Amino acid sequence: MKSKDLSVVLTGATGRVGAELARRLFTRGARVLLVARTATALVALAHELAGEEDHRHRVDALAADITNAAARLAIRDAAIARDANVLINAACADEAGPLSELNAARVDAMLQTNLVAPVQLTRILLPHLLHQREARVLSLGSALGRTGLPGASVYGASQFGLRGFSEALRRELADTNLRVQFLGRRSTWREFGDRHVEREYRAVASGSDRPAYIAEAALRMLLAGRSEQFLGLSSSLLGRVNALAPLWLDGLLKRRRVLPRRRDATQT
């Protein structure tokens, strides 16, 4: 696909990666429907992109919580009205820590935002996308979508699920005009939210990705039509090791004491 032919629905548009990706899409000539929960930040980004009056037809904003079924229907209607041919699932919720200490509401938020909402949004947009000459569904996930690590059990579960969904749907739609894609990024400090857990992760898979780098990789992947990509050599190697020798990796993690720090107070 050519960038000027893209009409994109971008969830998580005001996040660090989402905003960077929105800027790149708009600069390359794409039409973009920005979707995020916070209206103030969303409108500010839309005004930043639109700038001159001549470009305002190429950007629109919709304040919507993708975990809400009614909001997803509103996104679908707006996507159809704009004749969208691309859905980018970039919204993300994350929190690190031992499962026993995670807040119940945050567990639900991670699973709903990272897995349930993208699946449901893709489902209701599918009939429209399949009528396009060429279409894409790109999910921005994590390298933890193929390697489970201590302190990231719930987040990792959501990413394993998102990657599995993308893989299965890609095969399900292999004979159609719709490409289903998954991009696995490496960790960032904000993604884990805990310096101790971040150090533990880096002890096994060093490196992190800047939002601008992730956004550029996502755009290139979108245009090229590649099915799956993981950023960073270390993450790619770790994923292969986990697939081929998971028990060996279990032992390595235990020997290196890559264990999540436990908080003093248990959350409910």
Side-chain angles (χ1 to χ4, degrees):
M1 297 181 78
K2 297 181 179 179
S3 55
K4 64 180 180 60
D5 297 327
L6 302 179
S7 179
V8 181
V9 177
L10 175 63
T11 70
T14 57
R16 294 186 303 165
V17 175
E20 288 286 351
L21 182 52
R23 294 183 184 105
R24 279 165 171 72
L25 286 165
F26 192 81
T27 299
R28 302 286 183 88
R31 299 175 64 219
V32 187
L33 172 62
L34 306 170
V35 179
R37 286 181 297 181
T38 307
T40 303
L42 194 61
V43 171
L45 178 60
H47 282 312
E48 174 196 329
L49 295 180
E52 302 176 4
E53 188 72 30
D54 293 343
H55 299 303
R56 292 190 178 178
H57 70 283
R58 292 202 293 114
V59 62
D60 206 347
L62 176 61
D65 181 352
I66 62 170
T67 65
N68 180 278
R72 290 195 293 266
L73 291 176
I75 295 170
R76 180 201 61 186
D77 293 344
I80 292 173
R82 293 179 63 83
D83 200 27
N85 56 12
V86 175
L87 168 63
I88 301 179
N89 295 308
C92 181
D94 56 77
E95 184 172 332
L99 178 61
S100 61
E101 297 181 7
L102 289 179
N103 181 282
R106 289 296 296 163
V107 170
D108 286 343
M110 279 189 277
L111 295 176
Q112 287 290 329
T113 304
N114 301 347
L115 179 57
V116 176
V119 170
Q120 293 286 21
L121 187 56
T122 301
R123 181 185 64 83
I124 62 175
L125 270 174
L126 204 55
H128 171 74
L129 293 174
L130 287 172
H131 278 94
Q132 300 297 307
R133 186 174 64 84
E134 192 174 6
R136 302 273 195 271
V137 173
L138 170 61
S139 293
L140 303 188
S142 167
L144 297 186
R146 63 177 182 177
T147 306
L149 290 180
S153 57
V154 178
Y155 179 70
S158 70
Q159 296 303 314
F160 266 81
L162 185 60
R163 182 188 175 226
F165 165 72
S166 299
E167 182 178 271
L169 187 62
R170 179 174 72 245
R171 293 167 179 169
E172 183 178 316
L173 302 175
D175 60 347
T176 73
N177 58 341
L178 177 58
R179 297 283 184 89
V180 182
Q181 304 168 290
F182 180 87
L183 175 63
R185 60 181 176 177
R186 292 178 294 178
S187 66
T188 64
W189 180 86
R190 186 181 181 88
E191 182 174 292
F192 279 89
D194 186 304
R195 291 182 183 275
H196 182 75
V197 175
E198 178 71 5
R199 285 197 301 270
E200 291 167 346
Y201 178 83
R202 289 187 178 188
V204 181
S206 61
S208 61
D209 296 315
R210 294 183 178 182
Y213 174 69
I214 299 170
E216 186 62 29
L219 180 57
R220 291 181 180 180
M221 184 178 181
L222 188 69
L223 297 176
R226 289 192 299 274
S227 297
E228 186 175 89
Q229 181 181 353
F230 288 87
L231 301 181
L233 178 60
S234 59
S235 292
S236 296
L237 291 175
L238 185 64
R240 292 177 184 177
V241 169
N242 188 60
L244 296 172
L247 296 181
W248 179 85
L249 185 57
D250 286 352
L252 175 64
L253 293 171
K254 185 175 181 179
R255 288 194 302 273
R256 299 191 67 161
R257 300 189 62 79
V258 181
L259 301 171
R261 180 178 60 186
R262 298 188 177 276
R263 303 182 180 93
D264 294 333
T266 301
Q267 300 174 334
T268 58

